[in-house]
């Protein structure tokens, strides 16, 4: 099998209130809400998917807004994705600095650790987000009236894993996922998944003194990597079983199929299929406009809708 992992697929986080989450990712960052559904494991909670026009794998950030259920804030620490980076065109950080300031979002300017300019900020739930400049990101942005295309975010740039022993994580990724090292910096390693373009990057940071991560509000739950089809996913699953790595059965997530497992540093990884995608139950033009439920939850629609907080498009 020749490098079955294509790119990142999505990043999924546990967040606070649904409306402020929508307002931030669509209103401030200019992402498209491509799917409004529920957490298939807990339909009292929304599952929002943000991305480009079609929610192309590698552009997708997804959130579970748990704020109305009294879930506690998580702990940022080892065994976790501690930063989610978005890709911005070269020369656009001045625009983003002004836009964030206007929206009342605090931020700092920094070097990405690998030579790019970057902005670091916290989203409304406390997730660490970076906007990283990229000289070559050909992915088309989702057009938004008040964000010129020349500045619009192109999708996920990459994620940062914090672990106590980067070598174990690196060895697993290079051996099982056929990744390569794209850079070494003061902060750690940059690993390329099927090439080093934005949307295909994982940074590994060592922190021996970090507390053990605890999932909760304001933390990333997992990162998913994209494969072309279910047969590749099954082959990867068999390989995990062969290595003795605990892995879930294949789960039907309606827009993709998923398996989940932990890399040696404790970070939850998912392998998700690229098909069928977000147009399986909505037209491209109307993606994200209606609450979509998987077929097995449709009989419960009235109860589910009554329990979810009301939200308006941002
Ligand atoms: Zn996922």
């Amino acid at each position: 099998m020749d490098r079955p992992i294509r790119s990142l697929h999505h990043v999924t986080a546990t967040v606070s209130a649904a409306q402020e989450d929508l307002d931030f990712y669509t209103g401030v960052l200019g992402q498209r809400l491509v799917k409004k559904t529920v957490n298939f494991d807990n339909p009292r909670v929304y599952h929002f998917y943000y991305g480009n026009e079609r929610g192309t794998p590698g552009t997708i950030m997804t959130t579970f807004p748990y704020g109305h259920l009294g879930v506690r804030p998580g702990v940022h620490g080892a065994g976790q994705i501690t930063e989610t980076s978005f890709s911005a065109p070269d020369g656009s950080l001045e625009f983003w600095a002004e836009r964030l300031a206007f929206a009342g979002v605090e931020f700092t300017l920094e070097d990405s650790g690998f030579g790019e300019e970057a902005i670091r900020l916290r989203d409304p739930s406390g997730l660490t987000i970076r906007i990283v400049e990229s000289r070559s990101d050909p992915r088309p942005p989702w057009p938004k009236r008040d964000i010129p295309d020349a500045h619009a975010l192109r999708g996920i740039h990459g994620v940062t894993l914090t672990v106590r022993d980067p070598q174990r994580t690196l060895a697993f990724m290079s051996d099982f996922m056929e990744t390569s090292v794209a850079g070494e910096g003061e902060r750690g390693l940059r690993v390329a998944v099927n090439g080093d373009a934005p949307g295909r990057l994982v940074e590994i940071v060592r922190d021996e003194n970090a507390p053990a991560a605890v999932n909760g509000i304001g933390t990333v739950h997992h990162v998913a990597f994209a494969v072309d089809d279910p047969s590749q996913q099954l082959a990867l699953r068999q390989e995990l079983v062969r290595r003795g790595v605990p892995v879930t059965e294949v789960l039907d997530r309606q827009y993709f199929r998923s398996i989940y497992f932990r890399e040696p540093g404790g970070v939850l990884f998912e392998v998700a299929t690229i098909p069928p995608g977000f147009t399986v139950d909505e037209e491209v033009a109307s993606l994200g406009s209606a609450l979509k439920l998987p077929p097995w939850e449709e009989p419960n629609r009235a109860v589910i809708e009554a329990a979810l907080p009301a939200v308006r498009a941002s």
Side-chain angles (χ1 to χ4, degrees), residues 242-261:
R242 193 187 68 75
R243 289 163 181 254
V245 177
V247 54
T248 66
E249 296 297 321
V250 175
L251 298 169
D252 179 4
R253 298 312 197 187
Q254 183 77 357
Y255 311 107
F256 42 87
R257 287 164 174 261
S258 301
I259 58 172
Y260 303 84
F261 54 96

Side-chain angles (χ1 to χ4, degrees), residues 29-100:
L29 295 189
Q31 303 302 287
R32 184 181 196 193
L33 178 67
V34 293
K35 194 64 65 182
K36 180 167 62 173
T37 182
V38 292
N39 181 344
F40 290 4
D41 299 322
N42 182 353
R44 292 185 299 161
V45 175
Y46 282 115
H47 195 180
F48 295 146
Y49 290 81
Y50 305 104
N52 65 4
E53 183 183 28
R54 287 173 176 264
T56 308
T59 72
I60 310 163
M61 174 82 182
T62 99
T63 60
F64 295 129
Y66 266 94
H68 63 300
L69 296 184
V71 170
R72 286 180 303 179
V75 174
H76 294 178
Q80 193 178 49
I81 291 145
T82 47
E83 297 167 348
T84 303
S85 300
F86 286 84
S87 171
D90 206 21
S92 65
L93 285 200
E94 199 172 324
F95 170 85
W96 284 104
E98 277 181 27
R99 187 172 177 86
L100 292 168

Side-chain angles (χ1 to χ4, degrees), residues 9-12 47 49 62 64 221-224 253 256 258-260 269-272:
H9 190 291
H10 62 268
V11 179
T12 293
H47 195 180
Y49 290 81
T62 99
F64 295 129
H221 188 260
H222 63 266
V223 59
R253 298 312 197 187
F256 42 87
S258 301
I259 58 172
Y260 303 84
F269 279 11
E270 172 183 350
V271 170

Side-chain angles (χ1 to χ4, degrees), residues 35-234:
K35 194 64 65 182
K36 180 167 62 173
T37 182
V38 292
N39 181 344
F40 290 4
D41 299 322
N42 182 353
R44 292 185 299 161
V45 175
Y46 282 115
H47 195 180
F48 295 146
Y49 290 81
Y50 305 104
N52 65 4
E53 183 183 28
R54 287 173 176 264
T56 308
T59 72
I60 310 163
M61 174 82 182
T62 99
T63 60
F64 295 129
Y66 266 94
H68 63 300
L69 296 184
V71 170
R72 286 180 303 179
V75 174
H76 294 178
Q80 193 178 49
I81 291 145
T82 47
E83 297 167 348
T84 303
S85 300
F86 286 84
S87 171
D90 206 21
S92 65
L93 285 200
E94 199 172 324
F95 170 85
W96 284 104
E98 277 181 27
R99 187 172 177 86
L100 292 168
F102 184 74
V105 178
E106 288 183 26
F107 62 89
T108 53
L109 291 162
E110 62 177 31
D111 181 280
S112 69
F114 298 91
E116 304 107 337
E117 299 288 311
I119 287 176
R120 172 183 297 268
L121 60 121
R122 291 284 178 109
D123 89 342
S125 301
L127 292 171
T128 301
I129 302 289
R130 291 192 307 171
I131 298 173
V132 178
E133 276 193 353
S134 170
R135 278 163 216 104
S136 57
D137 189 342
R139 298 176 294 177
W142 168 241
K144 188 166 165 61
R145 190 170 28 82
D146 60 344
I147 302 179
D149 278 2
H151 301 318
L153 302 181
R154 264 46 181 174
I156 303 289
H157 185 271
V159 292
T160 305
L161 317 183
T162 296
V163 294
R164 299 217 171 99
D165 181 357
Q167 286 309 319
R168 292 181 66 207
T169 296
L170 181 66
F172 174 81
M173 291 187 71
S174 59
D175 193 34
F176 174 68
M177 301 169 66
E178 299 180 51
T179 58
S180 55
V181 174
E184 284 188 62
E186 276 177 28
R187 281 165 37 92
L189 295 166
R190 180 175 275 181
V191 169
V193 178
N194 188 32
D196 63 358
R200 301 178 179 193
L201 299 171
V202 175
E203 292 173 13
I204 307 175
V205 168
R206 176 201 295 269
D207 188 346
E208 287 161 3
N209 302 315
V214 179
N215 185 243
I217 304 271
T219 61
V220 175
H221 188 260
H222 63 266
V223 59
F225 298 92
V227 292
D228 284 334
D229 62 60
S231 65
Q232 290 180 332
Q233 184 180 56
L234 276 178

